[in-house]
Each structure stands twice: as structure tokens, then as C-alpha cells.
Tab-separated table of all heavy atoms in Angstrom:
chain	number	residue	atom	x	y	z
K	981	LEU	N	61.020	189.267	192.753
K	981	LEU	CA	60.951	190.282	191.625
K	981	LEU	C	60.394	189.570	190.353
K	981	LEU	O	60.518	188.417	190.125
K	981	LEU	CB	62.338	190.635	191.284
K	981	LEU	CG	63.175	191.375	192.461
K	981	LEU	CD1	64.647	191.661	191.904
K	981	LEU	CD2	62.465	192.677	192.820
K	982	ASP	N	59.692	190.473	189.537
K	982	ASP	CA	59.133	189.918	188.281
K	982	ASP	C	60.271	189.338	187.431
K	982	ASP	O	59.982	188.385	186.694
K	982	ASP	CB	58.506	191.214	187.594
K	982	ASP	CG	57.025	191.436	187.950
K	982	ASP	OD1	56.663	190.809	189.007
K	982	ASP	OD2	56.419	192.363	187.373
K	983	GLU	N	61.357	190.002	187.380
K	983	GLU	CA	62.438	189.594	186.470
K	983	GLU	C	62.876	188.129	186.885
K	983	GLU	O	63.112	187.314	185.938
K	983	GLU	CB	63.633	190.399	186.533
K	983	GLU	CG	63.380	191.938	186.189
K	983	GLU	CD	62.998	192.813	187.398
K	983	GLU	OE1	61.968	192.438	188.050
K	983	GLU	OE2	63.689	193.746	187.563
K	984	ASP	N	62.879	187.861	188.193
K	984	ASP	CA	63.363	186.518	188.582
K	984	ASP	C	62.244	185.528	188.183
K	984	ASP	O	62.587	184.346	187.756
K	984	ASP	CB	63.525	186.482	190.086
K	984	ASP	CG	64.912	187.237	190.393
K	984	ASP	OD1	65.709	187.459	189.507
K	984	ASP	OD2	65.068	187.710	191.553
K	985	LEU	N	61.027	185.854	188.465
K	985	LEU	CA	59.904	184.973	188.085
K	985	LEU	C	59.909	184.674	186.601
K	985	LEU	O	59.684	183.582	186.128
K	985	LEU	CB	58.532	185.552	188.532
K	985	LEU	CG	58.273	185.550	190.059
K	985	LEU	CD1	56.973	186.304	190.301
K	985	LEU	CD2	58.424	184.219	190.679
K	986	GLU	N	60.193	185.746	185.717
K	986	GLU	CA	60.178	185.510	184.381
K	986	GLU	C	61.221	184.506	183.924
K	986	GLU	O	61.056	183.657	183.062
K	986	GLU	CB	60.406	186.801	183.546
K	986	GLU	CG	60.420	186.685	182.130
K	986	GLU	CD	60.499	188.012	181.351
K	986	GLU	OE1	60.131	189.060	181.942
K	986	GLU	OE2	60.983	188.065	180.102
K	987	LYS	N	62.451	184.602	184.551
K	987	LYS	CA	63.481	183.702	184.197
K	987	LYS	C	63.125	182.281	184.519
K	987	LYS	O	63.292	181.350	183.791
K	987	LYS	CB	64.801	184.047	184.971
K	987	LYS	CG	65.455	185.299	184.470
K	987	LYS	CD	66.694	185.603	185.417
K	987	LYS	CE	67.323	186.949	185.003
K	987	LYS	NZ	68.451	187.230	185.861
K	988	TRP	N	62.382	182.112	185.718
K	988	TRP	CA	62.017	180.825	186.129
K	988	TRP	C	60.867	180.221	185.167
K	988	TRP	O	60.919	179.069	184.834
K	988	TRP	CB	61.518	180.875	187.551
K	988	TRP	CG	61.100	179.539	188.109
K	988	TRP	CD1	61.933	178.555	188.760
K	988	TRP	CD2	59.738	179.040	188.139
K	988	TRP	NE1	61.172	177.539	189.056
K	988	TRP	CE2	59.921	177.752	188.747
K	988	TRP	CE3	58.486	179.480	187.780
K	988	TRP	CZ2	58.741	176.938	189.029
K	988	TRP	CZ3	57.436	178.787	188.069
K	988	TRP	CH2	57.473	177.514	188.646
K	989	VAL	N	59.957	181.092	184.860
K	989	VAL	CA	59.005	180.692	183.862
K	989	VAL	C	59.549	180.168	182.630
K	989	VAL	O	59.109	179.083	182.117
K	989	VAL	CB	57.945	181.809	183.642
K	989	VAL	CG1	57.004	181.458	182.426
K	989	VAL	CG2	57.079	182.099	184.865
K	990	ARG	N	60.406	180.860	182.060
K	990	ARG	CA	60.988	180.405	180.698
K	990	ARG	C	61.723	178.999	180.839
K	990	ARG	O	61.884	178.319	179.826
K	990	ARG	CB	61.951	181.515	180.162
K	990	ARG	CG	61.188	182.761	179.852
K	990	ARG	CD	62.088	183.676	179.105
K	990	ARG	NE	61.406	185.015	178.886
K	990	ARG	CZ	60.458	185.298	178.032
K	990	ARG	NH1	60.015	184.425	177.171
K	990	ARG	NH2	59.963	186.543	177.948
K	991	ASN	N	62.150	178.747	181.979
K	991	ASN	CA	62.897	177.409	182.223
K	991	ASN	C	61.916	176.318	182.652
K	991	ASN	O	62.409	175.139	182.728
K	991	ASN	CB	63.992	177.630	183.316
K	991	ASN	CG	65.160	178.310	182.714
K	991	ASN	OD1	65.491	178.153	181.578
K	991	ASN	ND2	65.763	179.156	183.614
K	992	ASN	N	60.727	176.693	183.129
K	992	ASN	CA	59.945	175.637	183.632
K	992	ASN	C	58.411	175.523	183.113
K	992	ASN	O	57.736	174.606	183.451
K	992	ASN	CB	59.768	175.956	185.204
K	992	ASN	CG	60.981	175.675	185.931
K	992	ASN	OD1	61.373	174.579	186.302
K	992	ASN	ND2	61.846	176.705	186.140
K	993	ALA	N	58.088	176.400	182.144
K	993	ALA	CA	56.762	176.374	181.614
K	993	ALA	C	56.609	175.046	180.832
K	993	ALA	O	57.559	174.502	180.250
K	993	ALA	CB	56.520	177.570	180.641
K	994	ASP	N	55.434	174.499	180.753
K	994	ASP	CA	55.149	173.201	180.138
K	994	ASP	C	53.681	173.299	179.578
K	994	ASP	O	52.937	174.190	179.825
K	994	ASP	CB	55.228	172.138	181.253
K	994	ASP	CG	55.480	170.791	180.592
K	994	ASP	OD1	55.375	170.641	179.354
K	994	ASP	OD2	55.899	169.844	181.353
K	995	THR	N	53.310	172.289	178.795
K	995	THR	CA	52.034	172.219	178.202
K	995	THR	C	51.014	171.517	179.115
K	995	THR	O	51.344	170.575	179.897
K	995	THR	CB	52.070	171.506	176.835
K	995	THR	OG1	50.677	171.401	176.384
K	995	THR	CG2	52.656	170.102	176.990
K	996	VAL	N	49.666	171.890	179.020
K	996	VAL	CA	48.682	171.184	179.692
K	996	VAL	C	48.065	170.077	178.726
K	996	VAL	O	47.201	169.312	179.128
K	996	VAL	CB	47.447	172.250	180.094
K	996	VAL	CG1	46.519	171.577	181.039
K	996	VAL	CG2	48.186	173.433	180.772
K	997	ASN	N	48.630	170.049	177.599
K	997	ASN	CA	48.063	168.992	176.495
K	997	ASN	C	46.758	169.239	176.116
K	997	ASN	O	45.907	168.328	176.128
K	997	ASN	CB	48.306	167.664	177.155
K	997	ASN	CG	49.718	167.369	177.669
K	997	ASN	OD1	50.689	167.726	177.041
K	997	ASN	ND2	49.851	166.707	178.778
K	998	HIS	N	46.399	170.535	175.762
K	998	HIS	CA	45.069	170.845	175.290
K	998	HIS	C	45.097	171.328	173.842
K	998	HIS	O	44.368	172.363	173.564
K	998	HIS	CB	44.352	171.891	176.140
K	998	HIS	CG	44.024	171.343	177.582
K	998	HIS	ND1	43.731	172.191	178.649
K	998	HIS	CD2	44.082	170.095	178.134
K	998	HIS	CE1	43.457	171.478	179.686
K	998	HIS	NE2	43.747	170.136	179.393
K	999	CYS	N	45.816	170.727	172.977
K	999	CYS	CA	45.897	171.152	171.614
K	999	CYS	C	44.519	171.291	170.967
K	999	CYS	O	43.746	170.381	171.066
K	999	CYS	CB	46.818	170.206	170.895
K	999	CYS	SG	48.468	170.110	171.319
K	1000	SER	N	44.305	172.283	170.154
K	1000	SER	CA	43.182	172.460	169.509
K	1000	SER	C	43.296	173.608	168.281
K	1000	SER	O	44.364	174.119	168.198
K	1000	SER	CB	42.028	173.000	170.422
K	1000	SER	OG	42.328	174.251	170.951
K	1001	GLY	N	42.292	173.710	167.500
K	1001	GLY	CA	42.159	174.835	166.606
K	1001	GLY	C	42.791	174.646	165.235
K	1001	GLY	O	42.717	175.559	164.417
K	1002	THR	N	43.382	173.559	164.905
K	1002	THR	CA	44.221	173.384	163.727
K	1002	THR	C	43.448	173.030	162.461
K	1002	THR	O	43.989	172.904	161.339
K	1002	THR	CB	45.243	172.227	163.899
K	1002	THR	OG1	44.650	171.145	164.509
K	1002	THR	CG2	46.401	172.754	164.858
K	1003	ALA	N	42.127	172.874	162.624
K	1003	ALA	CA	41.221	172.719	161.420
K	1003	ALA	C	40.008	173.531	161.809
K	1003	ALA	O	38.783	172.954	161.822
K	1003	ALA	CB	40.889	171.257	161.113
K	1004	ARG	N	40.032	174.693	162.147
K	1004	ARG	CA	39.062	175.432	162.842
K	1004	ARG	C	37.883	175.708	161.896
K	1004	ARG	O	37.927	175.732	160.627
K	1004	ARG	CB	39.607	176.802	163.251
K	1004	ARG	CG	40.000	177.813	162.225
K	1004	ARG	CD	40.446	179.055	162.898
K	1004	ARG	NE	41.012	179.922	161.904
K	1004	ARG	CZ	41.788	181.036	162.205
K	1004	ARG	NH1	41.931	181.426	163.437
K	1004	ARG	NH2	42.296	181.852	161.228
K	1005	ILE	N	36.717	175.968	162.590
K	1005	ILE	CA	35.451	176.341	161.889
K	1005	ILE	C	35.721	177.765	161.430
K	1005	ILE	O	36.150	178.649	162.212
K	1005	ILE	CB	34.304	176.264	162.853
K	1005	ILE	CG1	34.137	174.797	163.358
K	1005	ILE	CG2	33.007	176.713	162.016
K	1005	ILE	CD1	32.995	174.792	164.475
K	1006	GLY	N	35.309	178.114	160.150
K	1006	GLY	CA	35.427	179.453	159.649
K	1006	GLY	C	34.171	179.787	158.811
K	1006	GLY	O	33.269	178.981	158.601
K	1007	ASN	N	34.179	181.004	158.399
K	1007	ASN	CA	33.074	181.447	157.478
K	1007	ASN	C	33.347	180.913	156.147
K	1007	ASN	O	32.456	180.503	155.409
K	1007	ASN	CB	33.051	183.015	157.434
K	1007	ASN	CG	32.551	183.600	158.820
K	1007	ASN	OD1	31.408	183.450	159.156
K	1007	ASN	ND2	33.420	184.272	159.549
K	1008	THR	N	34.554	180.928	155.713
K	1008	THR	CA	34.898	180.427	154.293
K	1008	THR	C	36.308	179.908	154.381
K	1008	THR	O	36.945	179.812	155.528
K	1008	THR	CB	35.011	181.647	153.302
K	1008	THR	OG1	36.115	182.478	153.604
K	1008	THR	CG2	33.780	182.421	153.278
K	1009	GLU	N	36.828	179.275	153.338
K	1009	GLU	CA	38.181	178.777	153.315
K	1009	GLU	C	39.217	179.758	153.482
K	1009	GLU	O	40.378	179.481	153.700
K	1009	GLU	CB	38.348	177.917	152.076
K	1009	GLU	CG	38.307	178.777	150.749
K	1009	GLU	CD	38.300	177.811	149.579
K	1009	GLU	OE1	37.419	177.050	149.335
K	1009	GLU	OE2	39.382	177.951	148.823
K	1010	LYS	N	38.878	181.086	153.527
K	1010	LYS	CA	39.781	182.130	153.661
K	1010	LYS	C	40.134	182.282	155.155
K	1010	LYS	O	41.145	182.957	155.475
K	1010	LYS	CB	39.294	183.461	153.111
K	1010	LYS	CG	39.226	183.393	151.537
K	1010	LYS	CD	38.653	184.742	151.035
K	1010	LYS	CE	38.527	184.732	149.473
K	1010	LYS	NZ	38.061	186.001	148.990
K	1011	ASP	N	39.289	181.825	156.076
K	1011	ASP	CA	39.633	181.993	157.419
K	1011	ASP	C	39.390	180.655	158.286
K	1011	ASP	O	39.488	180.708	159.490
K	1011	ASP	CB	38.819	183.044	158.035
K	1011	ASP	CG	37.310	182.778	158.077
K	1011	ASP	OD1	36.874	181.729	157.582
K	1011	ASP	OD2	36.535	183.584	158.561
K	1012	GLY	N	39.211	179.536	157.614
K	1012	GLY	CA	38.921	178.305	158.306
K	1012	GLY	C	39.265	177.062	157.472
K	1012	GLY	O	39.631	177.180	156.267
K	1013	VAL	N	38.996	175.935	158.053
K	1013	VAL	CA	39.158	174.569	157.409
K	1013	VAL	C	37.810	173.980	157.150
K	1013	VAL	O	37.599	173.306	156.071
K	1013	VAL	CB	40.110	173.772	158.159
K	1013	VAL	CG1	40.255	172.361	157.470
K	1013	VAL	CG2	41.456	174.381	158.204
K	1014	VAL	N	36.881	174.071	158.114
K	1014	VAL	CA	35.663	173.490	157.984
K	1014	VAL	C	34.546	174.534	158.154
K	1014	VAL	O	34.756	175.511	158.813
K	1014	VAL	CB	35.469	172.364	159.059
K	1014	VAL	CG1	36.498	171.199	158.809
K	1014	VAL	CG2	35.534	172.877	160.459
K	1015	ASP	N	33.254	174.192	157.642
K	1015	ASP	CA	32.224	175.086	157.822
K	1015	ASP	C	31.459	174.742	159.127
K	1015	ASP	O	31.872	173.927	159.919
K	1015	ASP	CB	31.263	175.003	156.577
K	1015	ASP	CG	30.622	173.701	156.409
K	1015	ASP	OD1	30.621	172.844	157.393
K	1015	ASP	OD2	30.043	173.486	155.299
K	1016	ALA	N	30.334	175.425	159.396
K	1016	ALA	CA	29.552	175.243	160.567
K	1016	ALA	C	28.994	173.784	160.770
K	1016	ALA	O	28.586	173.373	161.793
K	1016	ALA	CB	28.539	176.309	160.759
K	1017	GLN	N	28.946	173.095	159.625
K	1017	GLN	CA	28.550	171.697	159.681
K	1017	GLN	C	29.689	170.762	159.745
K	1017	GLN	O	29.557	169.520	159.735
K	1017	GLN	CB	27.738	171.317	158.369
K	1017	GLN	CG	26.519	172.195	158.161
K	1017	GLN	CD	25.419	171.974	159.130
K	1017	GLN	OE1	25.071	170.875	159.433
K	1017	GLN	NE2	25.005	173.040	159.805
K	1018	LEU	N	30.871	171.312	160.002
K	1018	LEU	CA	32.131	170.545	160.176
K	1018	LEU	C	32.632	169.884	158.875
K	1018	LEU	O	33.368	168.982	158.945
K	1018	LEU	CB	32.091	169.576	161.310
K	1018	LEU	CG	31.631	170.154	162.637
K	1018	LEU	CD1	31.632	169.032	163.743
K	1018	LEU	CD2	32.248	171.381	163.085
């Protein structure tokens, strides 16, 4: 059942260790941290 799989997922999900995006490229400082030249 989907319900049983959902319970199991919430108890067993883990990270793949692919953190990203926390100083993202943006058009301006209103939507990002760095410009296209980084």
C-alpha cells in the first residue's frame, strides 16, 4: 500500500550529500547572490 510505503519513507529517507544552490547565480541581488561572472 502507498500508505505503508509513505510511513517507511519518512523513517528511512536520507541525503545523497549533493548540497547546492545557497549562493545561486541570479539576475540581480533580488533573486541571487552572484552574477553570471560569479
